[in-house]
Amino acid sequence: MQIQELVDLKPFNTMAVAAKARYFTTIKTQTDVQEALAWATEHGVEPFVLGGGANLLITTEVLDRLVMRMAIEGLEVVGETDEVTYVKVGAGEDWHATVDRLITMGYAGLENLALIPGTVGASVVQNIGAYGTEVAQRVQEIEVFNPATDEVEAMRAQECDFAYRHSIFKDATHADLVVLSVTFALPKVWTPNLSYKELANQVEGLETVTARDVFEAVVAVRSRKLPDPKVLGSAGSFFKNPVVDHDQFLALLEKFPSIVHYDVGGGHQKLAAGWMIDQAGLKGHREGDAGTYEKQALVLVNHGEATGAELWRYAQMVKATVNAKFGVVLEPEPVIL
Ligand code: EPU
């Protein structure tokens, strides 16, 4: 295991923030994880596991941590039942490439999550979701390294406290667990999930819809609305879509009859944060190199040289503007360091 110092993290975070890692190492094996964590303890440095850096905003110039870039590889079929095939994938594998590869191998079920940047390990930490699917629905088991026991443990999906953009791995109490691999349960009998209207429109006219068709439709829809992080820095949606109770919703509906909302049960409504930011006049707005994407107001973008602190300040401005207009408090979706 090799520890580097003052490594530029710009290539390792999709917001393209030019922060430096005080210490940096690449993780290829479980042994690397153990050695890196031991090194961090010995040197009194807090470790930080970095996936694809696609859901991250680093607000400091130097991140005083040991950045462990997750690069554990591997993809293998590990079992099956009459209903599903189990495929185990290394935490460092690229998410989109994995979805693509699985479809080519004949395993469908993750196609609605195509083109989401990041790694397989991060997909479960964040419980990524799009177009009516969340990764949690396809997770069988997650292998983690637990520093407290110095052992590899297998966690069932039910133990992971999955919710909208949330898992147990985001809780402070479990944040030290390092995801090593994810085993997916992929259905043998597959039907497309076209509940999202834009997706259904995209495949209209096709006689039979295959997983590859849905994959390509998702790629097309996402490419229209979301910036390519290789071209324009972003972390996807910067805020979660807020959930409000019935009373607050009725009050909002009276004032803003066209407010975009989805019933999430229990009398609660999820509001489209992108719509609110747009209505507040901030779509395409820009302050220096920090701005809101011109095609999707929920996405914060780095037009080039914005620092993490500048992006964070811009996000606070967006949050305050939405709060002033709608009385709704937005919570950031990415991890803020
Ligand atoms: N809208 C506007 N103006 C905007 C942006 C959105 O009016 O500038 C409206 C849209 O017209 C639509 C509604 O707001 O009626 C929702 O927009 P959209 O369908 O683009 O989805 P979203 O709620 O903004 C969520 C996820 C995305 C995911 C899409 C599709 C969150 C925080 N975001 O976005 O996930 O791809 O749905 O399922 O839940 C991500 O997490 O990084 C991400 C991109």
Side-chain angles (χ1 to χ4, degrees):
M1 183 201 53
Q2 197 202 347
I3 307 275
Q4 295 167 268
E5 286 186 46
L6 292 176
V7 171
D8 183 10
L9 291 174
K10 191 160 179 158
F12 299 111
N13 72 97
T14 60
M15 285 225 95
V17 167
K20 285 189 165 52
R22 175 77 63 202
Y23 305 104
F24 184 95
T25 189
T26 301
I27 302 294
K28 289 273 191 188
T29 62
Q30 182 197 318
T31 311
D32 288 346
V33 174
Q34 281 167 288
E35 287 182 8
L37 292 177
W39 187 94
T41 306
E42 196 182 316
H43 291 79
V45 182
E46 212 184 322
F48 175 74
V49 179
L50 175 74
N55 201 49
L56 188 64
L57 177 61
I58 309 162
T59 60
T60 60
E61 270 171 50
V62 177
L63 188 60
D64 253 325
R65 314 234 332 220
L66 169 61
V67 173
M68 298 165 57
R69 188 175 76 86
M70 179 50 67
I72 295 178
E73 295 174 355
L75 185 154
E76 59 172 327
V77 176
V78 290
E80 62 177 325
T81 66
D82 288 346
E83 285 86 35
V84 295
T85 307
Y86 297 119
V87 187
K88 181 175 172 177
V89 188
E93 291 285 352
D94 178 72
W95 173 261
H96 175 71
T98 300
V99 175
D100 192 359
R101 215 172 136 193
L102 287 169
I103 291 172
T104 302
M105 290 166 74
Y107 304 118
L110 299 172
E111 55 287 335
N112 288 42
L113 306 176
L115 213 64
I116 296 181
T119 54
V120 166
S123 75
V124 290
V125 175
Q126 170 71 0
N127 187 18
I128 57 172
Y131 310 107
T133 302
E134 282 186 352
V135 75
Q137 295 165 301
R138 303 291 187 216
V139 172
Q140 176 68 12
E141 187 177 288
I142 300 173
E143 229 178 24
V144 297
F145 179 76
N146 185 351
T149 58
D150 204 33
E151 290 201 18
V152 175
E153 295 169 7
M155 293 176 70
R156 294 270 155 171
Q158 304 88 286
E159 296 174 86
C160 296
D161 199 16
F162 284 125
Y164 169 60
R165 297 295 188 274
H166 181 80
S167 75
I168 203 167
F169 310 108
K170 279 185 143 181
D171 290 344
T173 48
H174 289 78
D176 58 344
L177 298 177
V178 180
V179 176
L180 303 174
S181 74
V182 181
T183 300
F184 297 99
L186 302 172
K188 288 186 175 173
V189 179
W190 172 86
T191 45
N193 175 356
L194 300 171
S195 54
Y196 200 90
K197 205 163 138 253
E198 252 187 299
L199 205 53
N201 290 345
Q202 191 70 27
V203 295
E204 216 183 82
L206 295 182
E207 215 163 280
T208 48
V209 177
T210 66
R212 178 58 67 186
D213 294 331
V214 177
F215 176 91
E216 275 161 16
V218 170
V219 169
V221 171
R222 282 188 82 90
S223 305
R224 276 203 296 265
K225 287 216 264 199
L226 299 166
D228 177 352
K230 285 187 211 93
V231 180
L232 185 63
S234 91
S237 301
F238 193 85
F239 296 100
K240 291 188 207 178
N241 285 329
V243 174
V244 295
D245 65 26
H246 194 63
D247 290 348
Q248 191 179 1
F249 174 65
L250 288 183
L252 280 164
L253 192 61
E254 199 174 9
K255 227 169 143 194
F256 308 99
S258 59
I259 193 163
V260 180
H261 59 97
Y262 320 90
D263 194 342
V264 289
H268 290 78
Q269 297 281 332
K270 190 186 269 184
L271 308 176
W275 181 88
M276 292 194 280
I277 299 168
D278 191 351
Q279 293 295 308
L282 291 174
K283 191 176 190 163
H285 180 73
R286 177 172 175 172
E287 286 175 11
D289 271 354
T292 324
Y293 191 46
E294 58 182 2
K295 296 181 198 159
Q296 223 298 8
L298 194 49
V299 177
L300 251 59
V301 292
N302 180 355
H303 286 285
E305 302 301 320
T307 64
E310 283 164 352
L311 287 159
W312 185 231
R313 221 173 299 134
Y314 188 86
Q316 299 306 312
M317 181 279 290
V318 172
K319 182 176 170 168
T321 308
V322 167
N323 195 7
K325 187 173 169 84
F326 297 95
V328 173
V329 179
L330 298 181
E331 299 294 342
E333 200 211 61
V335 173
I336 312 295
L337 283 179

